[in-house]
């Protein structure tokens, strides 16, 4: 039995990053990511991360740029960011994936300004969905910690070679103290082989990184990134299994389910709200309501086939989003789930709700209200495809 | 990879008389093969690496326009962490836009952090890759495609940003100014910059045939005129002290430099042009006096 230690979520993740033996950590502080990079700086200052170079860069733009240089030179790299910092990196995110550099970043999910908000939602990483990064979302500090070596193993696979974000909710998970198993160094060494990229910047074998592509060759580079993402679909599953074999913990691969097999109402969500939903479902199941949960672990690559298979017997699908595409009035899960079901024989109504934006609390009653609305929609049909469920009308 | 003995190989797509190609070729001759080059977006990057070709016989990376210094700092950190730094030189080669304007934050950060690398700015005084738009390196009164001369304007309103002084203010142990028109001087300074430990900076004045409007056979001539008029002083600055200045044997009036380029041609016809030329002469005279050229 592994030893449980009560630590802050950020510490659990920083510790997990440490045991992955990163060579270079460029870090720029931003709330609520700060505790992660502070803890790592302590590890580095105490010589606990080997010869790791910890660089206190002057911006997130340089953090991710230094990651690119370091990774191209053959280093395993780590950084963490959130929200405005991630948005500042936007241009570089495309560049990293296009150069097939398997960078790993923790994203402590936070809302986007304006209005300024330091609290949690998923708008920051969702806004980066087309940058070519793998995106996994964790539901609790233990999963966030465990996800760290998992994403290294996924993205460093030579058939994948794409960067990855391990996302977990800012404050709700970064700042919560919970009992977790701190990842053991020996198990991590067994699970995660050293980074051994085929192509590096090395004067004894000069190579050109980041060449210029004319219209005759550009699309093929983009398509090959897609092939890498496709390879990640399988790898995410096998890595989750391998992790389970070595550490004895499992959170699902691409997706996970809770009371999913016979569910008529399938709630779909990512991140920390999963815990709240599970508690609510325990209650509702006790009342005999056939409600289940589809947890999305992998948002990129998007597990279309796994989702189709998981929801095909439902009466209604209810994506719950901590993001919004303004101008479409729905969140990313809603859009993607609907897109996944089109052109199939699955004809199940999709009823989307948005909540928890800018850190607004999601109490169990809100989940129950959503379920009761879904019950009505099964009978009466859907009138509004997507809406906020926690708007304060008096402020509008 | 190209089997030529040149570390920066011929066959690239640079213009005849291109200053960037001259700079890259001679700088790599000076530094040698144990060097990793980082290049921001710009002419040099585009004309030297049309996939699947590359002019670079040293490891080379291009990421983006504004992040060469940060990429270089990552390369340096990686080599140190992996025990591969040894005598390997890391050199970023950027244009004036990438260095003086859009990349100055990352460059400032990398110098303040003290990474062991050399940043070379090959300054052709405008955004040449995008069609000669004004940069912070564009000289006073020059026309560009975004500072055209017209009834209400004599061209670029401001003098060049003094980038070497800014880099000096970071405490860099070696800052130098040079010109592609003096290849031996440039090679000596770049080699020295890569041999000094810490963040070092070399600012290379680089006449652009296309952007400045002169015949491609005159690149060296134009570069020499900039130096001989005292508009571009060349010097070594070690640990904050000027330790070497390129002396001008026969100081030339700025008109000789200005009239040789289309970008200053308007000064010889517009009302008040003579006054502008006088101001440019004052800039040159100030340089000559300040640095004892």
């Amino acid at each position: 039995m592994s030893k449980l230690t009560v630590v802050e979520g950020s510490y659990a993740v920083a510790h997990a990053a440490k045991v992955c033996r990163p060579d270079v950590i460029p870090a720029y502080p931003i709330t609520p990511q700060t505790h992660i990079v502070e803890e790592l700086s302590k590890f580095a200052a105490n010589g606990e991360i080997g010869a790791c170079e910890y660089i206190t860069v002057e911006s997130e733009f340089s953090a991710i740029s230094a990651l690119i240089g370091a990774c191209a030179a053959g280093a395993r790299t780590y950084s963490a960011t959130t929200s405005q910092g991630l948005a500042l990196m936007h241009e570089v995110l495309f560049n990293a994936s296009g150069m097939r550099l398997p960078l790993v970043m923790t994203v402590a999910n936070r809302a986007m300004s304006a209005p300024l908000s330091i609290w949690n939602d998923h708008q920051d990483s969702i806004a980066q969905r087309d940058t070519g990064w793998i995106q996994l979302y964790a539901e609790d500090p233990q999963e966030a910690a465990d996800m760290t070596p998992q994403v290294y193993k996924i993205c460093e696979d030579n058939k994948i070679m794409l960067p990855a974000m391990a996302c977990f909710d800012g404050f709700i998970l970064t700042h919560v103290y919970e009992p977790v198993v701190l990842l053991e160094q020996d198990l991590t060494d067994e699970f995660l082989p050293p980074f051994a990229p085929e192509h590096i910047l090395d004067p004894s074998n000069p190579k050109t990184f980041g060449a210029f592509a004319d219209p005759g060759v550009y699309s093929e580079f983009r398509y090959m990134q897609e092939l890498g993402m496709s390879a990640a679909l399988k790898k995410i599953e096998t890595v989750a299994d391998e992790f389970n074999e070595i550490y004895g913990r499992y959170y699902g691969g691409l997706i996970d389910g809770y009371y999913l097999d016979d569910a008529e109402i399938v709630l779909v969500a990512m991140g920390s709200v999963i815990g709240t939903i599970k508690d609510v479902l325990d209650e509702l199941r006790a009342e005999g309501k056939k409600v289940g949960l589809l947890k999305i672990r992998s948002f990129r690559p998007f597990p279309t086939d796994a989702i189709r298979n998981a929801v095909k017997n439902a009466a209604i699908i209810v994506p719950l989003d901590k993001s919004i595409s303004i101008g479409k009035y729905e969140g990313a899960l809603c859009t993607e789930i609907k897109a996944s079901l089109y052109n199939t024989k699955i004809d199940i109504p999709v009823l989307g709700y948005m909540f928890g934006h800018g850190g607004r609390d999601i109490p169990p009653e809100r989940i129950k209200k959503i379920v009761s609305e879904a019950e009505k929609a099964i009978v009466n049909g859907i009138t509004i495809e997507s809406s906020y469920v926690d708007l304060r009308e008096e402020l509008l | 990879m190209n089997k030529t003995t040149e570390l920066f190989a011929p066959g690239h797509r640079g213009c005849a008389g291109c200053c960037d190609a001259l700079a890259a070729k001679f700088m790599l001759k000076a530094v040698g093969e144990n060097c990793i080059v980082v290049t921001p977006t710009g002419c040099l990057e585009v004309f030297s690496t049309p996939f699947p070709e590359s002019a670079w016989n040293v490891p080379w990376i291009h990421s983006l326009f504004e992040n060469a210094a940060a990429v270089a700092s990552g390369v340096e950190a990686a080599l140190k962490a992996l025990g591969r730094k040894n005598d390997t030189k890391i050199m970023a080669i950027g244009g004036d836009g990438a260095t003086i304007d859009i990349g100055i934050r990352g460059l400032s950060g990398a110098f303040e952090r003290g990474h062991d690398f050399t940043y070379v700015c090959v300054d052709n005084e405008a955004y040449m890759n995008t069609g000669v738009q004004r940069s912070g390196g564009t000289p006073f009164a020059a026309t560009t495609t975004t500072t055209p001369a017209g009834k209400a304007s004599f061209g670029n309103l401001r003098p060049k940003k003094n980038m070497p002084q800014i880099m000096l203010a970071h405490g860099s142990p070696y800052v130098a100014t040079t010109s592609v028109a003096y290849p031996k001087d440039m090679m000596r300074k770049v080699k020295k910059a890569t041999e000094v430990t810490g963040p070092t900076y070399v600012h290379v004045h680089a006449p652009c045939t296309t952007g400045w409007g002169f015949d491609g056979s005159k690149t060296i001539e134009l570069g020499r005129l900039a130096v001989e008029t005292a508009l571009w002083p060349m010097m070594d600055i070690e640990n904050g002290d000027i330790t070497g200045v390129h002396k001008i044997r026969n100081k030339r009036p700025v008109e000789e430099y200005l009239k040789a380029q289309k970008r200053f041609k308007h000064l010889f016809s517009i009302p008040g042009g003579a006054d502008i030329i006088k101001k440019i002469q004052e800039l040159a005279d100030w340089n000559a006096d300040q640095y004892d050229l």
Side-chain angles (χ1 to χ4, degrees), chain A residues 113-125:
Chain A
S113 177
L116 179 64
S117 166
I118 58 169
W119 294 279
N120 167 249
D121 65 33
H122 293 159
Q123 197 68 56
D124 53 355
S125 52

mmCIF file of all heavy atoms in Angstrom, chain A residues 113-125:
data_model
loop_
_atom_site.group_PDB
_atom_site.id
_atom_site.type_symbol
_atom_site.label_atom_id
_atom_site.label_comp_id
_atom_site.label_asym_id
_atom_site.label_seq_id
_atom_site.Cartn_x
_atom_site.Cartn_y
_atom_site.Cartn_z
ATOM 1 N N SER A 113 -9.275 37.036 -19.146
ATOM 2 C CA SER A 113 -9.652 38.442 -18.968
ATOM 3 C C SER A 113 -10.009 39.041 -20.340
ATOM 4 O O SER A 113 -9.413 38.645 -21.337
ATOM 5 C CB SER A 113 -8.458 39.182 -18.366
ATOM 6 O OG SER A 113 -8.720 40.542 -18.238
ATOM 7 N N ALA A 114 -10.945 40.011 -20.417
ATOM 8 C CA ALA A 114 -11.648 40.739 -19.395
ATOM 9 C C ALA A 114 -13.063 40.164 -19.223
ATOM 10 O O ALA A 114 -13.582 39.626 -20.178
ATOM 11 C CB ALA A 114 -11.765 42.221 -19.787
ATOM 12 N N PRO A 115 -13.689 40.386 -18.066
ATOM 13 C CA PRO A 115 -13.094 41.010 -16.888
ATOM 14 C C PRO A 115 -12.049 40.106 -16.248
ATOM 15 O O PRO A 115 -12.134 38.889 -16.384
ATOM 16 C CB PRO A 115 -14.287 41.217 -15.966
ATOM 17 C CG PRO A 115 -15.289 40.201 -16.384
ATOM 18 C CD PRO A 115 -15.101 40.003 -17.838
ATOM 19 N N LEU A 116 -11.101 40.737 -15.589
ATOM 20 C CA LEU A 116 -10.033 39.967 -14.969
ATOM 21 C C LEU A 116 -10.606 38.976 -13.963
ATOM 22 O O LEU A 116 -11.449 39.320 -13.150
ATOM 23 C CB LEU A 116 -9.051 40.913 -14.258
ATOM 24 C CG LEU A 116 -7.887 40.202 -13.546
ATOM 25 C CD1 LEU A 116 -7.005 39.468 -14.531
ATOM 26 C CD2 LEU A 116 -7.067 41.196 -12.742
ATOM 27 N N SER A 117 -10.159 37.760 -14.063
ATOM 28 C CA SER A 117 -10.551 36.738 -13.103
ATOM 29 C C SER A 117 -9.374 35.804 -12.921
ATOM 30 O O SER A 117 -8.763 35.377 -13.903
ATOM 31 C CB SER A 117 -11.754 35.947 -13.621
ATOM 32 O OG SER A 117 -11.927 34.768 -12.855
ATOM 33 N N ILE A 118 -9.045 35.503 -11.679
ATOM 34 C CA ILE A 118 -7.951 34.561 -11.437
ATOM 35 C C ILE A 118 -8.490 33.162 -11.178
ATOM 36 O O ILE A 118 -7.727 32.245 -10.935
ATOM 37 C CB ILE A 118 -7.070 35.009 -10.254
ATOM 38 C CG1 ILE A 118 -7.908 35.150 -8.983
ATOM 39 C CG2 ILE A 118 -6.354 36.304 -10.597
ATOM 40 C CD1 ILE A 118 -7.066 35.321 -7.716
ATOM 41 N N TRP A 119 -9.828 33.015 -11.248
ATOM 42 C CA TRP A 119 -10.423 31.752 -10.819
ATOM 43 C C TRP A 119 -10.642 30.786 -11.975
ATOM 44 O O TRP A 119 -10.481 31.122 -13.134
ATOM 45 C CB TRP A 119 -11.708 32.052 -10.040
ATOM 46 C CG TRP A 119 -11.382 32.768 -8.760
ATOM 47 C CD1 TRP A 119 -10.949 32.207 -7.596
ATOM 48 C CD2 TRP A 119 -11.393 34.178 -8.524
ATOM 49 N NE1 TRP A 119 -10.695 33.177 -6.650
ATOM 50 C CE2 TRP A 119 -10.957 34.394 -7.187
ATOM 51 C CE3 TRP A 119 -11.724 35.280 -9.317
ATOM 52 C CZ2 TRP A 119 -10.856 35.660 -6.618
ATOM 53 C CZ3 TRP A 119 -11.614 36.556 -8.756
ATOM 54 C CH2 TRP A 119 -11.197 36.724 -7.429
ATOM 55 N N ASN A 120 -11.096 29.635 -11.619
ATOM 56 C CA ASN A 120 -11.101 28.529 -12.578
ATOM 57 C C ASN A 120 -12.231 28.547 -13.597
ATOM 58 O O ASN A 120 -13.383 28.804 -13.270
ATOM 59 C CB ASN A 120 -11.164 27.205 -11.795
ATOM 60 C CG ASN A 120 -11.502 26.017 -12.684
ATOM 61 O OD1 ASN A 120 -12.585 25.444 -12.583
ATOM 62 N ND2 ASN A 120 -10.617 25.674 -13.579
ATOM 63 N N ASP A 121 -11.904 28.307 -14.830
ATOM 64 C CA ASP A 121 -12.751 27.639 -15.809
ATOM 65 C C ASP A 121 -11.807 27.070 -16.863
ATOM 66 O O ASP A 121 -10.588 27.025 -16.633
ATOM 67 C CB ASP A 121 -13.881 28.536 -16.364
ATOM 68 C CG ASP A 121 -13.419 29.737 -17.165
ATOM 69 O OD1 ASP A 121 -12.377 29.641 -17.840
ATOM 70 O OD2 ASP A 121 -14.129 30.769 -17.151
ATOM 71 N N HIS A 122 -12.332 26.616 -17.982
ATOM 72 C CA HIS A 122 -11.474 25.933 -18.963
ATOM 73 C C HIS A 122 -11.217 26.759 -20.217
ATOM 74 O O HIS A 122 -10.713 26.243 -21.211
ATOM 75 C CB HIS A 122 -12.100 24.590 -19.369
ATOM 76 C CG HIS A 122 -12.128 23.598 -18.266
ATOM 77 N ND1 HIS A 122 -12.990 22.519 -18.240
ATOM 78 C CD2 HIS A 122 -11.394 23.490 -17.128
ATOM 79 C CE1 HIS A 122 -12.798 21.813 -17.137
ATOM 80 N NE2 HIS A 122 -11.838 22.388 -16.450
ATOM 81 N N GLN A 123 -11.588 28.050 -20.187
ATOM 82 C CA GLN A 123 -11.491 28.843 -21.407
ATOM 83 C C GLN A 123 -10.057 28.931 -21.931
ATOM 84 O O GLN A 123 -9.832 28.981 -23.136
ATOM 85 C CB GLN A 123 -12.040 30.255 -21.162
ATOM 86 C CG GLN A 123 -12.350 31.011 -22.437
ATOM 87 C CD GLN A 123 -13.539 30.402 -23.179
ATOM 88 O OE1 GLN A 123 -14.621 30.254 -22.627
ATOM 89 N NE2 GLN A 123 -13.336 30.012 -24.418
ATOM 90 N N ASP A 124 -9.092 28.942 -21.006
ATOM 91 C CA ASP A 124 -7.694 29.133 -21.436
ATOM 92 C C ASP A 124 -7.197 27.988 -22.319
ATOM 93 O O ASP A 124 -6.727 28.204 -23.437
ATOM 94 C CB ASP A 124 -6.767 29.369 -20.229
ATOM 95 C CG ASP A 124 -6.860 28.312 -19.141
ATOM 96 O OD1 ASP A 124 -7.712 27.406 -19.244
ATOM 97 O OD2 ASP A 124 -6.072 28.394 -18.175
ATOM 98 N N SER A 125 -7.333 26.771 -21.843
ATOM 99 C CA SER A 125 -6.806 25.658 -22.647
ATOM 100 C C SER A 125 -7.728 25.323 -23.818
ATOM 101 O O SER A 125 -7.254 24.940 -24.890
ATOM 102 C CB SER A 125 -6.547 24.431 -21.780
ATOM 103 O OG SER A 125 -7.672 24.101 -21.011
#
